[in-house]
Amino acid sequence: MPGHFEPIPGGGAAVALDDVEISIIRSLAVQLLELIGPGPGGDAPEDPLAELFAEGPSEPPADPVLRRLFPDAYVDPEAPGTAAEAEERRAHSSEFRRYTENDLRAGKRENALVVIRSLDALAPVDDGGAVLKLAPAESRCWLKALNDLRLAIGARLEITDEDDTDLLYRLPDEDPRKPMVLAYLWLGGLQETLVTTLMS
């Protein structure tokens, strides 16, 4: 079980994590929460009903990580068509973003919080670290959060296709991106074993 998820009775998943791994995942999840932000109403909305119907932003985020996490729905610079058709796609994308981004952000915040809470609830074992056991619903939240963390790191590393990933494997140890690359690859392995576990 060390380093990869395995199925447990009841449809959940378990993985053994050492103290450093727990610290890394927790830190990344906290950073993701900070990046996504508290939501349109902040921490304590005065009118929960108004918050429910609040409109989100209509423009893509400036931060490349947020653009990767909340991409445009209809804009494709490679799509054929006239300038008018491209403008129409941008308008549709803007409208879609306005009505969906707040919910998407809330979902990503909740997934990251599930990760943080489940790590905080771990009981350490004698030789350090702990065994994380997730119920099926928690496993799905973890899967989504791991995906978001990899998207965020991938955006910071400017990974756009598989060739970029291949180049990262060959980075010298002194490259300042190396720790981020190792985290990206490690999270990918965790994500892959969690997918396999949930499909078994």
Side-chain angles (χ1 to χ4, degrees):
M1 186 190 310
H4 61 273
F5 280 96
E6 293 182 0
I8 57 176
V15 63
L17 299 170
D18 65 31
D19 292 335
V20 173
E21 292 169 333
I22 292 168
S23 176
I24 290 170
I25 296 172
R26 191 184 189 289
S27 174
L28 290 172
V30 167
Q31 291 175 52
L32 182 65
L33 274 178
E34 291 170 353
L35 185 64
I36 293 171
D43 294 327
E46 292 180 20
D47 182 356
L49 187 61
E51 170 116 356
L52 182 64
F53 294 102
E55 292 182 4
S58 58
E59 295 299 318
D63 187 297
V65 173
L66 291 175
R67 276 200 309 275
R68 182 78 60 93
L69 291 172
F70 306 103
D72 278 325
Y74 300 102
V75 176
D76 178 4
E78 305 293 320
T82 65
E85 289 170 333
E87 184 56 39
E88 183 178 356
R89 286 193 298 271
R90 276 193 289 279
H92 288 310
S93 187
S94 176
E95 190 78 355
F96 183 81
R97 179 180 297 280
R98 192 156 52 109
Y99 292 110
T100 61
E101 188 168 310
N102 285 346
D103 288 340
L104 291 173
R105 283 181 182 256
K108 291 180 186 300
R109 276 193 298 273
E110 184 55 36
N111 293 331
L113 283 169
V114 167
V115 168
I116 293 166
R117 289 175 185 141
S118 58
L119 292 174
D120 288 348
L122 285 176
V125 293
D126 292 339
D127 57 350
V131 175
L132 174 70
K133 294 182 180 178
L134 301 172
E138 291 174 313
S139 298
R140 290 187 291 276
C141 290
W142 263 77
L143 186 59
K144 293 173 190 173
L146 287 172
N147 187 61
D148 288 340
L149 291 174
R150 290 193 77 238
L151 285 173
I153 295 171
R156 289 288 186 243
L157 291 171
E158 299 179 354
I159 296 172
T160 56
D161 58 36
E162 197 61 38
D163 291 340
D164 295 333
T165 307
D166 293 340
L167 291 173
L168 295 177
Y169 279 105
R170 297 190 292 274
L171 283 180
D173 289 343
E174 60 273 10
D175 192 298
R177 297 170 294 172
K178 191 71 172 198
M180 246 196 312
V181 169
L182 293 175
Y184 177 81
L185 297 173
W186 172 61
L187 292 173
L190 278 178
Q191 183 182 14
E192 185 177 340
T193 61
L194 184 52
V195 168
T196 303
T197 296
L198 293 178
M199 292 177 66
S200 62

